[in-house]
């Protein structure tokens, strides 16, 4: 699987960086964090501390985005796909599981059902067995067959390229729709998944919990052209450095801009041990990552 030789009509929002630049960004992460002497930013209404103005927050948010763009010039969707239908299916499967598990499951799935017409005619029990490793396989099977039937019958067998149409498909909400629009059709969108919502609240960009309200408030901070790549960068950072339970604060290059600095491990040596995926010298989530990805491909299902 992967994005090798995408079919006609498939666009990618990410602008590839050179391999040398990408690798240099990864290698410089821990070093830049451990040598930084800047004090982390503190915002919010704390005793003796002046609350951050909205304008100051916007400027800080945009600077964080620029810093993340330098840190992750290779940021990309972490689901393997070759066309809009594969990305749509993979994104539906990714609920309540890892992108790695989805990527390990979809090669056999797409070999059996390469088109919406094929999946619409699937025997539910057979489809269930193929996607069982992703969890919630009965509900996901119902969604996959339902959306495939809708694509076949209402959209001429082609995944629609409009948000209003995508969200009418079974199992497809705004998050899934924005993933497909941004990465298969080049239509900017903000993807509010667990990582994105957690980090933008940690950075004090918003206090909202509802994904649609989060999306609206973050969209007001950044130009539309940045929405898709911003989503990738924030999710990358959440998976690699700014973890939910124990952020690697001492190895984080944007620590000077973070109002939540200190919630995690601040010792540089200990923090470096918390880094994941390519930042920690480990495989990524994709079996077929983009050419400029500086880490190792993930192992296929059943591989040692």
């Amino acid at each position: 699987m992967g994005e090798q030789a995408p079919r006609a009509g498939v666009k990618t929002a990410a602008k590839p960086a050179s391999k040398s630049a990408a690798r240099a960004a990864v290698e410089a992460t821990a070093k830049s964090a451990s040598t930084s002497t800047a004090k982390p930013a503190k915002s919010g209404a704390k005793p003796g501390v002046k609350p951050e103005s909205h304008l100051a927050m916007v400027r800080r948010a945009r600077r964080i985005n620029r810093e993340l763009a330098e840190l992750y010039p290779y940021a990309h969707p972490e689901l393997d796909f070759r066309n809009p239908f594969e990305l749509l299916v993979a994104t539906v499967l990714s609920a309540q599981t890892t992108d790695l598990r989805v990527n390990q499951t979809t090669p056999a799935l797409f070999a059996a059902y390469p088109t919406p017409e094929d999946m619409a005619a699937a025997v539910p029990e057979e489809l269930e067995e193929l996607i069982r490793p992703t969890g919630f396989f009965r509900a996901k099977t119902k969604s996959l067959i339902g959306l495939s039937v809708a694509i076949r019958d209402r959209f001429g067998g082609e995944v629609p390229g409009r948000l209003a149409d995508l969200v009418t498909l079974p199992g497809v909400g705004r998050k899934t729709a924005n993933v497909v629009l941004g990465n298969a059709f080049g239509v900017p969108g903000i993807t509010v998944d667990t990582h994105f919502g957690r980090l933008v609240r940690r950075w004090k960009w918003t206090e909202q919990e509802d994904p649609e309200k989060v999306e609206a408030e973050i969209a007001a901070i950044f130009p539309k052209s940045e929405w898709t790549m911003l989503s990738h960068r924030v999710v990358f950072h959440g998976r690699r450095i700014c973890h939910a339970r124990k952020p690697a604060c001492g190895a984080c290059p944007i620590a000077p801009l973070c109002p939540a600095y200190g919630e995690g491990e601040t010792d540089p040596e200990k923090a470096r041990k918390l880094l994941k995926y390519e930042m920690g010298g480990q495989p990524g989530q994709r079996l077929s990552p983009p050419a400029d990805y500086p880490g190792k491909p993930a192992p296929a299902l059943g591989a040692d």
Side-chain angles (χ1 to χ4, degrees):
M1 305 307 301
E3 289 170 310
Q4 59 273 42
R7 299 176 191 172
V10 179
K11 301 178 181 178
T12 178
K15 294 183 178 179
S18 66
K19 281 190 176 181
S20 58
R23 292 184 186 279
V26 174
E27 293 168 358
T29 302
K31 182 178 179 181
S32 64
S34 61
T35 57
S36 175
T37 57
K39 293 183 179 181
K42 295 293 182 181
S43 65
K46 292 184 179 181
V49 179
K50 184 179 179 180
E52 185 178 45
S53 69
H54 179 73
L55 178 59
M57 181 277 290
V58 169
R59 287 174 174 169
R60 180 172 57 83
R62 292 182 176 183
R63 185 177 173 190
I64 287 176
N65 182 42
R66 292 194 297 271
E67 296 284 342
L68 292 179
E70 292 185 10
L71 182 61
Y72 307 110
Y74 51 87
H76 60 273
E78 294 195 86
L79 291 168
D80 286 328
F81 71 100
R82 297 171 297 186
N83 56 60
F85 178 64
E86 289 189 357
L87 179 56
L88 176 61
V89 169
T91 306
V92 170
L93 290 177
S94 69
Q96 305 299 314
T97 192
T98 64
D99 287 356
L100 171 58
R101 179 59 66 186
V102 173
N103 293 337
Q104 292 172 328
T105 302
T106 50
L109 176 67
F110 295 138
Y113 310 107
T115 69
E117 291 83 359
D118 294 321
M119 196 167 287
V123 175
E125 292 76 14
E126 295 176 359
L127 181 53
E128 287 175 3
E129 283 305 306
L130 284 173
I131 68 171
R132 182 183 289 268
T134 68
F136 301 94
F137 56 91
R138 291 190 179 89
K140 290 179 181 179
T141 292
K142 184 177 180 180
S143 293
L144 292 184
I145 292 178
L147 69 84
S148 297
V149 169
I151 291 171
R152 180 195 65 190
D153 295 348
R154 293 198 280 120
F155 298 103
E158 298 291 334
V159 175
R162 295 196 317 147
L163 179 66
D165 293 329
L166 282 167
V167 295
T168 68
L169 302 176
V172 178
R174 286 186 67 91
K175 183 188 81 170
T176 297
N178 279 328
V179 169
V180 174
L181 289 173
N183 299 288
F185 293 101
V187 177
I190 292 175
T191 303
V192 183
D193 70 353
T194 302
H195 298 287
F196 189 94
R198 173 170 56 80
L199 264 63
V200 297
R201 284 187 290 272
R202 184 172 276 174
W203 292 334
K204 308 300 183 185
W205 294 1
T206 181
E207 295 182 353
Q208 299 293 340
E209 296 284 344
D210 178 78
E212 289 195 29
K213 292 180 179 179
V214 171
E215 180 185 341
E217 290 201 359
I218 303 307
I221 297 174
F222 297 93
K224 193 172 183 179
S225 60
E226 285 290 305
W227 290 355
T228 298
M229 287 308 301
L230 170 72
S231 300
H232 291 323
R233 294 165 190 152
V234 173
V235 171
F236 258 56
H237 196 64
R239 286 175 170 169
R240 287 151 176 78
I241 297 178
C242 195
H243 314 307
R245 295 182 181 177
K246 198 169 185 180
C249 295
C252 180
I254 64 167
L257 299 170
C258 181
Y261 177 84
E263 289 186 8
E265 180 58 65
T266 58
D267 180 84
E269 289 299 325
K270 293 179 180 179
R272 277 195 287 272
K273 295 178 180 179
L274 299 175
L275 300 179
K276 295 182 179 180
Y277 302 114
E278 75 279 1
M279 291 295 179
Q282 302 148 355
Q285 298 203 80
R286 295 187 65 163
L287 278 65
S288 300
D292 288 309
Y293 177 67
K296 304 173 183 176
L301 194 63
D304 294 332

